[in-house]
Amino acid sequence: MAPPDPILGVTDAFRKDQSADKLNLGVGAYRTEELKPYVLEVVKKAEKRMLERGDNKEYLPMEGLAEFRSATVELLLGKGAAAVKEGRVATLQSLSGTGSLRVAADFIAKFLPGTIVYISKPTWGNHKNIFADAGKGVEWREYTYFNPETVGLDFAAMKADIEAAPKGSIILLHGCAHNPTGIDPTREQWAEIADLVQAKGHIPFFDVAYQGFASGSLDDDAFAPRFFVERGLEVIIAQSYSKNLGLYAERIGAINMVLSDSGTAQRVLSQLKRIARAIYSNPPVHGARIVAEVVGNENMFEEWNEEMQMMAGRIKTVRQDLYEHLTRLMPEKDWSFVTSQIGMFSFTGLTPAQVENMTSKWHVYMTKDGRISLAGLNRARAGYLAEAIVDSVKNA
């Protein structure tokens, strides 16, 4: 038997728990204040328009829906981006963020054999599996990211590790709302990272899972990858629409490779298509049409922005509530990291033993590394969660 997935296994355990107090803070999926799944109103409108048109369900081309591909690269790089105008971007619609990462990992295994991928420590739990299982395996190593003493970014150590990586390595970066820590570099720090990556001849690989969902602004959350592209670097970027449009089960995303010229982009796309053909053949159409519908209609696009701001705002409110409860219960400890982190997650710094106490005593389900999904918390339960955390810190 394979071991349970470190993230999805949390939900399996949660479902078996009969306690009325149970909280699922493992999987990163947005919930309403009533802790119910949320389907965006703009998504409902898009689906209604699609049904009224009677769109068919025939296979898409291997590279995906044309309208989706043009919309997704515009969202990512911005309207009028030079790389798009010059035809230097190879964009393949793929199976959300995971599938997009996997296609890129197979590409690396096949065309950049021996290249090492550096991932942050810590990172999203599936990153390691994706690279290890691609092709005959892509070697990955870690670079320092999190400082447990400050519960913040260890920027000096991060730069030192990137500097020490062999020339031409691939550096996997989180575009915004770093998972699991919720700690992002500042814009000035991103500039320093870009300088270092460029000087070492590294290839930056951005995982963009939360554009618009982290801050409520599509443009602000795309700053880092756009900055690297505008610097003239060749860049790999994976995208997902699971969070910002709530299309979790539609599996909609894209892998983008920004190259030095259009000829290279065409060749790269042809190879990405060949890789995808052997994995899943053709991408799904329903979610791709939703994205194209929303982005392509000015009114719906504005409504989407408002809903993203609402979702991001609710999570910020819950963060503030949790911080205030924690400070009230244990004022001698600095809890400011709760509000300084961004996105849907908070990296609490709890030890595995403390996490075990959270689950066994308080019925709070979370990943063993101490990450909690604030998207699964509401204001009514923030006090209960704070009590569980404080008890675990003091007694476990």
Side-chain angles (χ1 to χ4, degrees):
M1 293 293 290
D5 183 89
I7 298 175
L8 302 182
V10 173
T11 297
D12 293 337
F14 169 81
R15 288 170 179 158
K16 295 174 184 176
D17 192 328
Q18 299 302 309
S19 173
D21 292 327
K22 67 180 183 179
L23 266 176
N24 184 4
L25 305 181
V27 178
Y30 181 81
R31 295 289 183 267
T32 65
E33 190 62 24
E34 294 71 40
L35 298 184
K36 300 295 184 183
Y38 179 63
V39 180
L40 274 69
E41 291 300 321
V42 74
V43 168
K44 294 177 184 178
K45 290 181 180 180
E47 289 183 312
K48 182 179 179 181
R49 287 163 63 110
M50 289 156 54
L51 286 170
E52 289 172 349
R53 283 200 307 264
D55 291 339
N56 66 60
K57 302 293 184 181
E58 292 195 356
Y59 292 122
L60 286 177
M62 283 183 285
E63 65 269 27
L65 184 72
E67 297 90 336
F68 167 82
R69 292 171 63 236
S70 61
T72 198
V73 75
E74 180 179 289
L75 279 175
L76 181 64
L77 299 182
K79 288 185 178 181
V84 178
K85 286 183 177 180
E86 294 162 9
R88 296 190 287 109
V89 187
T91 298
L92 178 95
Q93 179 190 333
S94 193
L95 306 183
S96 199
T98 302
S100 300
L101 288 160
R102 177 54 187 264
V103 169
D106 279 335
F107 182 94
I108 292 165
K110 186 173 183 179
F111 295 103
L112 296 169
T115 303
I116 301 168
V117 175
Y118 281 79
I119 59 179
S120 65
K121 183 181 182 180
T123 193
W124 177 50
N126 209 20
H127 277 148
K128 297 175 182 178
N129 292 336
I130 290 168
F131 290 104
D133 290 356
K136 294 181 180 180
V138 174
E139 182 179 355
W140 57 265
R141 298 177 189 170
E142 293 177 308
Y143 62 83
T144 305
Y145 194 84
F146 179 71
N147 185 335
E149 293 183 4
T150 64
V151 196
L153 177 65
D154 193 339
F155 189 55
M158 177 187 181
K159 288 196 298 179
D161 287 348
I162 294 174
E163 169 71 32
K167 183 178 180 180
S169 296
I170 293 172
I171 312 298
L172 184 66
L173 301 160
H174 297 226
C176 63
H178 181 275
N179 181 2
T181 69
I183 302 161
D184 287 350
T186 64
R187 293 193 173 190
E188 292 75 21
Q189 288 171 331
W190 276 124
E192 290 188 51
I193 295 168
D195 288 340
L196 187 55
V197 166
Q198 193 164 30
K200 290 286 296 187
H202 294 326
I203 301 172
F205 186 163
F206 284 94
D207 185 358
V208 179
Y210 307 100
Q211 186 184 355
F213 191 83
S215 69
S217 167
L218 288 163
D219 291 329
D220 288 349
D221 290 347
F223 169 80
R226 289 181 186 180
F227 182 81
F228 279 62
V229 169
E230 289 165 4
R231 286 281 295 265
L233 292 163
E234 291 193 318
V235 182
I236 306 171
I237 312 169
Q239 289 173 281
S240 168
Y241 288 91
S242 293
K243 309 301 190 295
N244 56 14
L245 266 171
L247 299 178
Y248 304 98
E250 301 293 353
R251 313 312 294 144
I252 299 301
I255 185 67
N256 305 269
M257 294 196 182
V258 183
L259 289 312
S260 57
D261 59 79
S262 60
T264 305
Q266 291 172 20
R267 291 191 295 275
V268 165
L269 180 59
S270 74
Q271 296 293 349
L272 291 174
K273 288 163 60 177
R274 188 178 180 205
I275 291 168
R277 174 65 167 160
I279 302 176
Y280 54 83
S281 192
N282 309 79
V285 69
H286 188 76
R289 285 194 176 125
I290 292 173
V291 174
E293 195 78 29
V294 171
V295 177
N297 181 289
E298 187 175 338
N299 292 333
M300 294 177 75
F301 183 74
E302 182 58 35
E303 185 175 340
W304 178 35
N305 276 274
E306 290 174 2
E307 286 195 82
M308 277 190 291
Q309 290 167 14
M310 178 274 293
M311 292 189 290
R314 194 190 83 76
I315 293 173
K316 289 176 183 176
T317 299
V318 169
R319 273 190 187 280
Q320 184 64 35
D321 283 357
L322 179 61
Y323 166 75
E324 291 175 2
H325 284 297
L326 288 167
T327 301
R328 172 179 55 82
L329 293 168
M330 193 176 176
E332 66 272 22
K333 181 174 172 58
D334 181 7
W335 298 100
S336 60
F337 65 86
V338 175
T339 50
S340 64
Q341 295 169 358
I342 66 168
M344 69 194 320
F345 300 115
S346 177
F347 203 57
T348 62
L350 293 177
T351 66
Q354 291 167 342
V355 170
E356 174 60 29
N357 186 70
M358 294 282 290
T359 302
S360 61
K361 181 177 178 179
W362 293 88
H363 306 277
V364 175
Y365 290 82
M366 55 195 291
T367 54
K368 293 187 186 301
D369 61 3
R371 186 198 79 173
I372 57 174
S373 173
L374 293 176
L377 180 68
N378 61 1
R379 301 189 72 180
R381 302 299 304 280
Y384 177 83
L385 176 60
E387 289 178 23
I389 291 173
V390 169
D391 174 65
S392 300
V393 168
K394 288 184 175 181
N395 302 313

